[in-house]
Amino acid sequence: DVTWIRVTSVSWDETANQFNAEWSRATKGKVTHTDASIDSIKDSIPLMADGDTAIVVETAMQYAPVITWNPFNFGALTNRDFANFVVTRPRFGSCIPIDGGGC
């Protein structure tokens, strides 16, 4: 089935009052984040101190059930999209550099 993952390192700039994308990588042709596109998910990112960084991991999967049996009329099993959005802070450093960029 169709699945994708996007991992983005973000930092908070107190002076500009905005999140910045340090780097972003994605699979399956999914667009990577830029400073401008981070604005669309800023409400899902927790408050951070000036200069602090976090890793945003987004995943999605299309699910198609093998059967659509509905004997008790609870609602038929149908195709669904499952999506996850996780923000975590680097544990052993201030940020995670990738390919010589970021930080």
Side-chain angles (χ1 to χ4, degrees):
D1 291 326
V2 177
T3 61
W4 60 265
I5 183 170
R6 176 170 46 205
V7 180
T8 306
S9 177
V10 298
S11 64
W12 175 249
D13 183 346
E14 187 71 32
T15 305
N17 196 32
Q18 71 178 25
F19 288 102
N20 297 312
E22 298 296 323
W23 53 261
S24 185
R25 301 293 186 271
T27 64
K28 304 277 178 123
K30 191 72 175 170
V31 176
T32 57
H33 277 302
T34 63
D35 289 346
S37 68
I38 287 295
D39 195 51
S40 67
I41 62 169
K42 69 180 178 186
D43 293 337
S44 299
I45 302 173
L47 297 175
M48 295 170 34
D50 187 31
D52 207 1
T53 64
I55 301 296
V56 177
V57 179
E58 302 165 89
T59 63
M61 174 186 152
Q62 290 180 349
Y63 173 73
V66 176
I67 60 171
T68 58
W69 185 52
N70 186 13
F72 303 109
N73 202 22
F74 287 136
L77 295 173
T78 59
N79 292 354
R80 299 175 190 263
D81 290 333
F82 291 108
N84 291 297
F85 185 94
V86 177
V87 180
T88 189
R89 189 162 183 250
R91 194 168 192 189
F92 297 108
S94 61
C95 66
I96 299 174
I98 191 169
D99 295 337
C103 303

